[in-house]
Amino acid sequence: MTDRISRAFYDIGRLEIIAGRDSFVHRLDPRAKLLVTVFFIIAVVSFDRYAVAGLVPFFLYPAAIIGLAGLPVGYLFRKLLIVSPFVICIGIFNPFLDLEIMVNLGPLAVSGGWVSFTSLILRFSLTIGAALILIATTGFPKVCMALEKLGAPRILAVQLLLLYRYLFVLIEESIRMIRAHALRSCSRRRPAFRVYTQLLGNLLLRTLDRAERIHLAMLSRAFTSEIRTVRRFTFGRAELLFTLTAAAAFLLFRTIPVAELLGGLILEISL
Amino acid sequence: MSHHIVEARDLEFTYPDRTPALQKVSFKIHHGESVAVVGANGAGKSTLLLHLNGYLTPSAGQVRIGDYPLTRETLREVRRTVGMVFHDPDDQLFMSTVFDDVAFGPLNLNLPAEEVAARVDKALATVGLSDLRERPPHRLSSGQKRRVAIASVLSMSPDILVMDEPTSGLDPRARRQLIELLAGFKHSKIIATHDLDMVVDICERTIVMHDGRIRADGPTPEIFADAELLESCRLEKPLRMQGCPVCGSAPDHRPPTIG
């Protein structure tokens, strides 16, 4: 179990290392990337439940960013797979409940349920993929700072920042505790429930102690009640261009059925 | 302020569970002095340090920093004057990048942005970590974390540095670098530690605590020459003042070379 936790832990670390690379996309102001991601998600989510063809052009965005930023596709895809069970659980009953035939692919009749299930999976891949790409090109702390600069409540941004910072400390602490337990309980593979509650309680107490020490550290550096950061972002021409191009493309994909037009075009040419 | 003194007058402190932690603790520290606070575990070192920037309020007695008594009204000024470096850098480095962490103090002092940036640059250059400014603290090694923690305090231009176990958990090389760094500082320093060899290197004066009281206060060489005192306070001579266990050569009694 410790092994699995540590592996998940180093995996977060990998995302962070990817975010620390240098590329055109990495260098963009986090606010521009955050805005584009939000536009993208809104555009994708706003399709009706049976939309499939309309969603396809949207894959151009992640593809373009992955290409420009040189992100590892396999790694991002594995991250998507980890979250996918949740979506599959939500959508899996569609094919059984919605049996009306919607599309006939030659001899194969496809029910509305299957179409909406496919649409759900596409939308899931696009939105979660876009969020992952945002983090992989920006880094979680900068996304939080961008959120704050764009008007999200400061307390929320600060909470997220501290949460992220101490996530690592907390995971390390839990790994140490579980390891200590594992080394002295040869026969059992995982802690008994009673032991488990004690481990958790202990972790909570340690966390409270640490919170107190952090507060002390803040106080000794003249902390009043507001966490301030220096603004180091510049929203320049590149950002403006990036945001406008992306927004225009999403609007285009959303309003004009690009896939159908392309399909029609190809058909016309081949005929 | 022309002379920065830390003064404790008959300091007493009892924890809420009635454990007496400090009893009649009095000392004066002068400008530029480097003082070690040594003692066994539970002797009251950390409790004493927590009084010096007003985190704990004494049950009786007084702390004076510079010309001020430490009260609720002077707390802000005192905390700027007294830079506190904690035992665990993970407690001290709570922001998400090294830059933000070092900038945290100056920003709270309401300094303009350019001044904050200049101070961060200077503090990071002092500890030799300028190239790590955008790194998240949890990606640093223990030695680097410790130095960033010191930078985060230096950026507030404190007059007095208070440190809790600055060398614990460092590898020998990182420890040596830290000692050299500290030796170069002109600040008044108060260092609570178990690393008595470091004390020999950087502190000309040593305060020995035992069971919440000050047992001895004097020049470091004299304190460490008093075997009886050390024994009764559960301490041992610094390694370099002991004979060599391998070749049996005599201990090194030369005065420490600093830098």
Side-chain angles (χ1 to χ4, degrees), chain B residues 83-99:
Chain B
M84 191 121 181
V85 181
F86 291 89
H87 178 54
D88 183 353
D90 268 327
D91 295 339
Q92 183 146 12
L93 306 177
F94 43 79
M95 298 297 281
S96 43
T97 65
V98 167
F99 181 94

Side-chain angles (χ1 to χ4, degrees), chain B residues 8 22-28 37 43 48 205-218 233:
Chain B
L22 296 178
Q23 297 173 56
K24 295 271 174 208
V25 171
S26 298
F27 57 82
K28 271 186 198 172
V37 179
L48 175 62
R205 180 176 156 197
T206 298
I207 294 176
V208 183
M209 294 195 68
H210 188 60
D211 289 341
R213 293 170 191 276
I214 292 187
R215 279 290 298 273
D217 178 357
C233 295

Side-chain angles (χ1 to χ4, degrees), chain A residues 15-130:
Chain A
L15 196 58
E16 202 162 66
I17 291 168
I18 296 171
R21 287 186 191 163
D22 190 38
S23 78
F24 165 70
V25 188
H26 283 84
R27 277 193 298 272
L28 285 172
D29 186 311
R31 284 171 296 178
K33 285 179 272 185
L34 182 64
L35 277 177
V36 167
T37 309
V38 171
F39 290 157
F40 180 80
I41 291 175
I42 291 175
V44 168
V45 172
S46 67
F47 277 96
D48 79 285
R49 58 190 298 228
Y50 295 116
V52 171
L55 289 170
V56 175
F58 280 92
F59 278 96
L60 279 176
Y61 169 69
I65 301 287
I66 287 174
L68 280 172
L71 302 177
V73 185
Y75 173 76
L76 292 176
F77 188 69
R78 275 202 305 282
K79 295 261 99 143
L80 268 186
L81 278 186
I82 293 174
V83 217
S84 60
F86 295 101
V87 185
I88 294 176
C89 279
I90 296 171
I92 195 66
F93 292 108
N94 286 10
F96 302 105
L97 299 177
D98 187 352
L99 294 170
E100 200 179 320
I101 303 299
M102 272 192 80
V103 190
N104 282 304
L105 292 175
L108 196 69
V110 182
S111 71
W114 280 110
V115 175
S116 66
F117 182 62
T118 313
S119 174
L120 191 71
I121 297 287
L122 286 181
R123 266 183 274 192
F124 152 77
S125 316
L126 284 169
T127 49
I128 304 292

Side-chain angles (χ1 to χ4, degrees), chain B residues 125-243:
Chain B
T126 309
V127 298
L129 294 179
S130 301
D131 44 341
L132 298 183
R133 41 190 292 150
E134 293 301 328
R135 290 274 287 277
H138 59 266
R139 297 246 148 241
L140 305 177
S141 72
S142 297
Q144 290 169 333
K145 277 186 195 170
R146 194 79 58 148
R147 284 193 281 158
V148 173
I150 292 174
S152 71
V153 166
L154 287 182
S155 63
M156 295 180 73
S157 308
D159 299 312
I160 303 149
L161 284 177
V162 176
M163 294 183 225
D164 196 356
E165 302 272 9
T167 53
S168 72
L170 298 185
D171 63 54
R173 181 72 179 274
R175 171 181 172 275
R176 177 55 53 199
Q177 285 174 335
L178 188 81
I179 291 177
E180 282 168 10
L181 179 69
L182 294 182
F185 290 162
K186 298 279 173 272
H187 308 76
S188 308
K189 293 186 275 290
I190 303 174
I191 304 174
T193 185
H194 292 302
D195 183 351
L196 302 188
D197 281 274
M198 172 191 68
V199 173
V200 175
D201 277 339
I202 45 183
C203 300
E204 64 269 16
R205 180 176 156 197
T206 298
I207 294 176
V208 183
M209 294 195 68
H210 188 60
D211 289 341
R213 293 170 191 276
I214 292 187
R215 279 290 298 273
D217 178 357
T220 303
E222 277 177 32
I223 298 274
F224 289 153
D226 190 341
E228 221 169 284
L229 169 75
L230 294 180
E231 170 72 27
S232 69
C233 295
R234 297 165 53 102
L235 293 171
E236 287 182 354
K237 274 189 179 181
L239 292 175
R240 87 175 73 156
M241 288 174 70
Q242 299 176 14

